Amino acid sequence: MTEVGNRAVFGSDRPIGVAVLGMGNVGTEVVRILREHADDLRSRVGAPLVLRGVAVRRLDVDRGIPADLLTTDAEALVTRADVDLVVEVMGGIDPARGLIGAALSAGKSVVTANKALLADYTGELAAAAERSRADLYFEAAVAGAIPVVRPLIQSLSGDRVNRVVGIVNGTTNFILSAMDETGADYEVTLKEATRLGYAEADPTADVEGYDAAAKAAILASLAFHTRVTAADVYREGISNITAEDLETAAAVGCTVKLLAICERVPAGPGEPAPADGGKERISVRVYPALIPRKHPLSAVNGAFNAVVVEAENAGRLMFYGQGAGGAPTASAVMGDLVMAARNKFYGGRAPGESVYAELPIAPIGDTPTRYHVNLQVADRTGVLQAVAGEFAKHGVSISTVRQEGSDEGARLVVVTHHAEESALADTVAALAELESVTSVTSVLRLEGTEE
């Protein structure tokens, strides 16, 4: 059948076949919605969505659906003639990468929530989709139920996005929020997060920032029309954050959040400025940072996520909601599934990958930000002068200094103006060599200020 005006390519009685890969928390919810809301989905799409099969690892588990829908042969399922759309919610790189590639090559549109895969292989998968004229949707790969991918691809496609910053990992946000509220240390709070189900048995991907880095790579790719992979993202986790860090943050009217930051930055040394025809660069980074209590992200607590997008004409936009969980993530998957099904029914296509800008990635050493430096020093005359001298020597301007007495001497808390990472690193190394400095207790960045 062919498209004529608004008439459908598929006949109204022609079902659109759906295959689901994985039946964990998200996959279970997707299957439930497909079965329980079949009539509504048919009305929204224009044709019935029919579940053709679900690929699982084991068949000897009661999953609450007819046994003949279950299979362990995922490759055969995604290439079946009666399957039009494939939903991948199994996670991991392999075998998901090969299965999605096979589905796309066979002309099946794909909806995935796999941020780890997309952070490294979007180019490969987008090329496969382009060759077969299929769709690749991935709203659920970033921030769960929060709609941020589609606004970047579609709503802001005529604008210039300058910055994207957000809290995109619920586990770390729960831990930092609890530390801030209770004063407990990291290990105690991590154990509580694990007990409540907010942290995995192995929390490394979350607490060391790998999950947030994958999402930052996806957001930066979309915002700046440049292919960014997880390897391009500077990453630090929260495992070294202490109760004292939260305490000193509170003393300066701040809290600590794990932030994913993607922004345009000026051309580097020796490169022509953008106004002179040279390319600007982009900085993509994930790390714990102080943010003022008045900043909108400071109020994002518990396992919630939020993303702030700053565009040239639209201004500041904030997207907030549940960033993980079976039902919220399934909501984003189903939104993509309906869009992909409509495209099948009416003959349209989703926007493809846009990487025309090819902006270079700025190294973290060239990225300016403000810093909050906590020092343990000897409590004697001349120490402050010596410390200030090292900051000045390395070109790092001090904004404020606070000194407090302690049992071990004195504590200095130094807040800087904007400085490059490399200059601050040199300053910290020099401070550690001072005889009057007992230790550099912590160095945290300060984001979300106007200075």
Side-chain angles (χ1 to χ4, degrees):
M1 301 177 209
T2 58
E3 182 180 12
V4 181
N6 289 325
R7 289 171 58 191
V9 174
F10 283 29
S12 60
D13 58 345
R14 158 76 154 87
I16 296 175
V18 179
V20 177
L21 307 182
M23 204 170 175
N25 290 337
V26 179
T28 297
E29 288 298 314
V30 169
V31 169
R32 178 188 65 78
I33 295 169
L34 280 169
R35 301 183 75 208
E36 291 183 4
H37 300 282
D39 290 342
D40 280 348
L41 292 170
R42 176 174 184 159
S43 298
R44 295 171 193 178
V45 171
L49 297 182
V50 177
L51 182 63
R52 300 299 191 189
V54 182
V56 294
R57 289 197 182 102
R58 297 170 52 193
L59 297 177
D60 59 346
V61 177
D62 182 8
R63 303 181 188 273
I65 62 174
D68 61 358
L69 286 175
L70 300 175
T71 179
T72 56
D73 192 346
E75 187 168 359
L77 177 62
V78 301
T79 55
R80 273 172 47 175
D82 61 349
V83 168
D84 304 292
L85 305 174
V86 174
V87 176
E88 185 274 309
V89 285
M90 61 198 307
I93 303 299
D94 293 312
R97 177 186 174 192
L99 292 170
I100 292 176
L104 292 170
S105 296
K108 322 294 186 182
S109 293
V110 171
V111 174
T112 178
N114 197 328
K115 67 262 185 184
L117 179 63
L118 290 165
D120 286 329
Y121 297 103
T122 294
E124 172 187 306
L125 300 179
E130 186 62 32
R131 285 193 298 271
S132 64
R133 310 298 291 171
D135 285 340
L136 176 64
Y137 280 98
F138 49 91
E139 180 67 68
V142 180
I146 303 172
V148 65
V149 169
R150 194 169 293 118
L152 286 171
I153 294 175
Q154 296 180 339
S155 305
L156 295 171
S157 60
D159 209 336
R160 172 186 166 91
V161 176
N162 292 319
R163 194 167 195 258
V164 180
V165 57
I167 297 166
V168 295
N169 182 271
T171 299
T172 53
N173 200 50
F174 176 87
I175 292 170
L176 292 173
S177 298
M179 290 176 69
D180 187 38
E181 292 169 6
T182 67
D185 66 22
Y186 169 78
E187 291 296 339
V188 170
T189 310
L190 174 59
K191 288 179 181 178
E192 180 66 5
T194 304
R195 185 186 71 81
L196 294 172
Y198 289 113
E200 301 286 346
D202 179 1
T204 303
D206 293 319
V207 300
E208 297 303 336
Y210 291 100
D211 175 82
K215 295 169 182 175
I218 296 169
L219 290 171
S221 299
L222 299 176
F224 307 125
H225 305 278
T226 296
R227 189 170 295 156
V228 179
T229 68
D232 297 317
V233 182
Y234 177 81
R235 175 196 54 79
E236 291 180 19
I238 68 165
S239 57
N240 291 325
I241 298 297
T242 65
E244 183 181 53
D245 290 329
L246 273 298
E247 180 186 334
T248 57
V252 293
C254 293
T255 189
V256 178
K257 299 290 185 182
L258 183 73
L259 299 180
I261 301 170
C262 318
E263 64 182 347
R264 298 178 188 268
V265 296
E271 299 177 13
D276 298 329
K279 284 186 175 179
E280 60 191 337
R281 300 181 295 174
I282 55 176
S283 172
V284 190
R285 53 202 196 268
V286 168
Y287 47 57
L290 278 73
I291 56 173
R293 297 279 183 186
K294 63 183 179 180
H295 192 282
L297 289 178
S298 72
V300 180
N301 292 316
F304 280 76
N305 285 189
V307 178
V308 176
V309 178
E310 297 176 12
E312 194 167 282
N313 298 303
R316 177 183 283 183
L317 308 171
M318 183 169 174
F319 303 86
Y320 168 83
Q322 295 190 61
T329 304
S331 171
V333 169
M334 290 305 301
D336 280 350
L337 184 56
V338 167
M339 295 295 292
R342 285 174 177 167
N343 289 343
K344 287 287 185 183
F345 186 66
Y346 290 107
R349 276 199 73 204
E353 185 187 30
S354 174
V355 291
Y356 72 89
E358 296 182 342
L359 296 175
I361 310 296
I364 190 64
D366 294 351
T367 304
T369 191
R370 302 184 69 195
Y371 294 89
H372 182 277
V373 184
N374 199 337
L375 307 166
Q376 194 68 34
V377 300
D379 190 5
R380 62 171 182 257
T381 304
V383 171
L384 181 56
Q385 182 179 0
V387 167
E390 291 300 332
F391 278 91
K393 187 185 300 182
H394 293 88
V396 179
S397 174
I398 293 176
S399 173
T400 63
V401 178
R402 190 174 81 256
Q403 181 171 344
E404 301 172 353
S406 73
D407 294 338
E408 300 175 0
R411 183 171 68 178
L412 287 181
V413 179
V414 180
V415 178
T416 75
H417 292 290
H418 276 88
E420 289 186 351
E421 173 91 12
S422 55
L424 195 281
D426 291 342
T427 304
V428 170
L431 290 170
E433 296 298 320
L434 287 179
E435 183 270 335
S436 56
V437 175
T438 306
S439 65
V440 180
T441 308
S442 67
V443 178
L444 289 171
R445 296 162 184 87
L446 175 61
E447 299 284 351
T449 66
E450 297 301 322
E451 290 188 57

